Amino acid sequence: MTTEVTQARRAEAPVGASADVHVRFRGVAKRFGGVEALKPIDLDVRRGEVLAIVGDNGAGKSTLIKVLTGVHPADTGTIEIDGQMVKVDHPDVAKAHGIETIYQDLALVPTFDLGTNFFLGRELRKRLFGVIPVLDVERMRREAIAVIQDRVGLAITNPYTPAAVMSGGQRQAVAIGRALYADAKLVIMDEPTAALGVEEQEKVLAIIDRLKAQGVTVIVISHNLEHVFRSCDRIVVMHNGHKLAERDRATSTRAEIVGLIMGSDIRQEA
Amino acid sequence: MTQKAVPMPVNPAAKTPLRFGFLQRNPGLRAPLGLVVPLLLLAVIISLVNPVFLDARNLFNVFRQISIFLVLGTGMTVVMAARGIDLSVGSNVALSACVSALVLKSGLDAGTAVPLAVLAGIGVGALVGLVNGTFVTVFKVPPLIVTLGTLTAVRGAAYLVMGPNQLRNFPDAFSFIGQGRVFGLPMAGIIAVGVVLFGAYLMNRTRFGAYVLAVGGNRSAAIRAGIRVGRFEMLAYVFSGAMAGLAGIMLASRLDAAQAVLGAMMELHAIAVVVLGGTLLFGGFATLLGTFLGAAFLGVAENGLLLMRVPFYWQQVVIGLTLVVAVAIQLARFRRQGMTTE
């Protein structure tokens, strides 16, 4: 497998909506002290696709994501979002461009309930007696319940339960609902199915399908190749901080991806 | 023949509107209620041993006494909500009291000196908080170490500005803060209750409170939500410092005297009051009603020991042990709920 083949496949991709580039990375790199966590990388994320990023631990998957979300701004290189050069140096910048992240730990505050977790960082407020600004706790709760029930499809039995004592599925639902509510154009999911029971894994895969059907671009970091091949359109393999390969799901196999993750194609790539 | 109960037809739609009790909807009010029974029990025991406890004048004194713990406790609640701790408040009380006393005695007429002294006291307190906050948020020194350092340094500063002397006889307008009455209620108590209510508003109904709690509950989640965690952590320490300054003013006013030894061990009181009330030592959850009940409990206990003629040093033993036991109870509860301290 050579790079030219990948390039050829890319050229063959149908022109139109799927060829529309949502996010374009050019020479993006990041180092932490002496460690080159992300070597200069070029990558196009197409609008409306479900893109899987796979690779071994420490391959640079999370760093690539954090560079895009502004958690760890890139040292060098450029990021274009919707054809526009964007300096993503803070999570707010990514959010302002419709990029929402569902982290592996779901980024919930264990002592907060549904509503306050849902609106963390963008709380709804009202004015008491027209002057005193107060959080609109009731409205946050109501809207969170509505979004989770209608769009994520999970019924809320007790909206006052703190996240620490919610079930794994409920926590996922809150995190995903939060992204949907923010009107995300691109949702990043970090190991969304890890640490979940089989039934809950199915729910998450269904949600990914649902996001795609709504035209949302999805980037999924996953170790689970079964899930990757079920829900993703394209697969990017990371190895040692650089992009080793890009494959279309339709024309690749699990065996090939496993081989790439193990780094068996390094020599040919070089 | 007895009538059999006919099962009601289940209407699924009727099950959807969820109804929850007032306390279920307000966990901040529910958590500290476990303290009510012990508090009443304590009051009954004390009044049986010494009926003077129920004397209006004694209760008035208890209220005035706990008013300082309430003010310090409110500041400490905010800091603890952010998973911090402020050991410097006792020393900060002394420094703020001394600085306001110096302003009062600076020769200015009372009309200018009193408001200036109040501002100076609160300002110095807030400044100490700013120093604490800077070391915690900018230099990332653990709060326990930072405030242990300022506990000593600020006490030293109090001696530097005041020397071994005592300043006394402040203007009446200043004395009113700690000794005055409004409609028969102690002014200090009114200030304290106002501070607690303000704290409750801050923590439950403002973005500031939500962010401080988020920093304490899950710092990385707060960062990823775009919250400038350092700013809110810093403000928590500044608030605690300002409250220590206010407590210093109230104490100097009540004693009508200021010296550098004031406020010793008060940090322990403040922490005990907050933990006793149910605010989590590991951040993320704060209850000002708890802080209020915790202060009442400790105030009544101390008053009881006094009325029962227990030697003073026993008070220290009791406060110290109360703190440790309160933390042990909180941890046990925490684990029972399946929460971890991480």
Side-chain angles (χ1 to χ4, degrees):
Chain A
M1 201 62 55
T2 63
T3 350
E4 285 101 279
V5 176
T6 319
Q7 294 296 344
R9 277 201 189 124
R10 213 192 271 168
E12 282 161 22
V15 191
S18 63
D20 178 8
V21 175
H22 194 156
V23 177
R24 172 172 285 150
F25 293 88
R26 284 294 174 268
V28 171
K30 177 78 189 171
R31 60 165 57 240
F32 295 107
V35 183
E36 247 187 316
L38 195 62
K39 288 157 191 160
I41 192 170
D42 292 349
L43 174 66
D44 288 351
V45 181
R46 300 172 195 165
R47 192 176 310 282
E49 75 173 340
V50 180
L51 177 72
I53 300 180
V54 299
D56 215 345
N57 291 330
K61 307 180 300 265
S62 293
T63 310
L64 176 64
I65 289 315
K66 283 173 177 162
V67 161
L68 176 59
T69 56
V71 172
H72 293 313
D75 298 329
T76 53
T78 59
I79 295 174
E80 273 177 42
I81 302 172
D82 302 319
Q84 206 190 333
M85 199 89 88
V86 178
K87 191 168 180 284
V88 192
D89 53 5
H90 190 272
D92 284 349
V93 178
K95 279 174 200 288
H97 286 84
I99 297 172
E100 289 288 327
T101 314
I102 293 151
Y103 291 97
Q104 195 173 359
D105 67 0
L106 304 180
L108 300 178
V109 178
T111 46
F112 282 16
D113 69 7
L114 184 82
T116 34
N117 262 310
F118 205 87
F119 287 95
L120 186 64
R122 48 171 164 250
E123 287 74 7
L124 302 176
R125 286 190 291 186
K126 61 179 178 185
R127 285 190 181 272
L128 211 59
F129 316 118
V131 269
I132 310 164
V134 292
L135 297 182
D136 198 341
V137 178
E138 279 310 314
R139 207 180 122 214
M140 291 197 282
R141 190 171 285 132
R142 263 199 327 269
E143 297 207 3
I145 293 171
V147 171
I148 290 167
Q149 292 191 341
D150 299 347
R151 296 188 66 188
V152 188
L154 198 96
I156 297 300
T157 47
N158 184 350
Y160 303 101
T161 310
V165 287
M166 287 179 187
S167 75
Q170 283 176 319
R171 278 199 282 261
Q172 278 278 347
V174 174
I176 293 166
R178 183 161 64 180
L180 291 175
Y181 181 85
D183 203 19
K185 304 281 189 287
L186 193 160
V187 171
I188 299 165
M189 299 169 114
D190 189 358
E191 297 284 1
T193 54
L196 284 186
V198 177
E199 201 181 314
E200 284 164 341
Q201 289 178 358
E202 291 300 321
K203 277 185 192 163
V204 172
L205 294 176
I207 291 166
I208 294 174
D209 289 346
R210 205 163 173 158
L211 289 172
K212 185 175 157 62
Q214 292 168 36
V216 177
T217 307
V218 181
I219 300 177
V220 181
I221 294 182
S222 185
H223 273 113
N224 189 323
L225 290 185
E226 188 204 325
H227 293 165
V228 166
F229 271 83
R230 271 182 57 187
S231 58
C232 300
D233 301 314
R234 286 196 310 137
I235 302 157
V236 167
V237 184
M238 299 286 294
H239 191 269
N240 260 337
H242 63 93
K243 188 181 81 180
L244 187 59
E246 267 181 79
R247 297 287 182 269
D248 279 356
R249 178 202 37 191
T251 51
S252 183
T253 62
R254 261 209 251 179
E256 182 195 16
I257 299 298
V258 170
L260 287 166
I261 290 172
M262 311 272 277
S264 62
D265 274 17
I266 289 177
R267 212 172 300 144
Q268 283 141 326
E269 282 287 316
Chain B
M1 188 158 174
T2 52
Q3 273 188 320
K4 276 192 178 161
V6 180
M8 290 286 288
V10 179
N11 174 10
K15 287 185 79 180
T16 31
L18 300 166
R19 278 176 208 285
F20 290 90
F22 178 73
L23 289 177
Q24 247 176 317
R25 284 184 276 121
N26 295 281
L29 299 181
R30 188 181 56 213
L33 289 184
L35 210 60
V36 172
V37 171
L39 177 61
L40 291 177
L41 209 66
L42 190 67
V44 169
I45 293 168
I46 296 168
S47 51
L48 286 178
V49 175
N50 191 341
V52 172
F53 173 74
L54 292 174
D55 203 88
R57 227 177 332 156
N58 184 58
L59 289 177
F60 182 92
N61 265 334
V62 172
F63 192 33
R64 212 169 55 175
Q65 205 108 39
I66 69 170
S67 63
I68 290 189
F69 302 157
L70 285 176
V71 173
L72 290 177
T74 300
M76 192 69 76
T77 304
V78 174
V79 170
M80 280 199 182
R83 208 180 179 138
I85 198 157
D86 189 351
L87 297 176
S88 70
V89 293
S91 304
N92 203 353
V93 162
L95 181 64
S96 309
C98 290
V99 169
S100 18
L102 287 169
V103 172
L104 289 170
K105 291 290 180 181
S106 63
L108 293 165
D109 66 292
T112 323
V114 173
L116 206 62
V118 171
L119 276 180
I122 295 174
V124 165
L127 203 67
V128 171
L130 192 70
V131 172
N132 286 333
T134 304
F135 277 104
V136 171
T137 61
V138 180
F139 301 108
K140 315 282 181 208
V141 182
L144 193 76
I145 300 300
V146 171
T147 59
L148 187 62
T150 46
L151 170 123
T152 311
V154 172
R155 178 70 63 189
Y159 277 101
L160 284 174
V161 300
M162 201 61 154
N165 312 324
Q166 191 186 46
L167 287 177
R168 316 190 50 94
N169 301 322
F170 303 130
D172 289 345
F174 187 78
S175 303
F176 181 75
I177 297 167
Q179 300 176 26
R181 287 176 188 233
V182 179
F183 304 119
L185 295 169
M187 185 61 198
I190 293 170
I191 294 174
V193 170
V195 165
V196 172
L197 288 176
F198 178 70
Y201 161 71
L202 269 186
M203 296 317 287
N204 295 302
R205 287 292 180 268
T206 68
R207 222 175 246 192
F208 167 81
Y211 291 174
V212 164
L213 286 164
V215 172
N218 187 344
R219 191 187 183 86
S220 65
I223 294 170
R224 285 176 280 175
I227 297 168
R228 277 143 169 99
V229 294
R231 179 186 303 177
F232 291 94
E233 213 176 5
M234 171 86 80
L235 284 173
Y237 285 95
V238 171
F239 180 72
S240 174
M243 289 305 104
L246 178 60
I249 290 164
M250 289 163 70
L251 187 63
S253 167
R254 190 178 82 206
L255 301 172
D256 197 27
Q259 59 187 110
V261 295
L262 288 184
M265 307 278 285
M266 272 193 184
E267 59 282 341
L268 207 66
H269 270 95
I271 294 165
V273 156
V274 175
V275 175
L276 210 53
T279 291
L280 290 183
L281 197 57
F282 314 101
F285 177 76
T287 161
L288 271 303
L289 177 65
T291 300
F292 183 85
L293 290 173
F297 185 87
L298 211 60
V300 167
E302 282 192 301
N303 184 251
L305 292 173
L306 203 73
L307 292 178
M308 292 191 270
R309 300 185 198 294
V310 177
F312 170 75
Y313 295 110
W314 276 104
Q315 289 189 25
Q316 294 193 355
V317 174
V318 168
I319 293 162
L321 290 181
T322 303
L323 173 63
V324 179
V325 170
V327 172
I329 292 171
Q330 188 180 92
L331 284 172
R333 240 197 225 172
F334 215 60
R335 281 190 292 264
R336 210 174 46 222
Q337 289 179 0
M339 296 194 192
T340 61
T341 53
E342 279 311 305

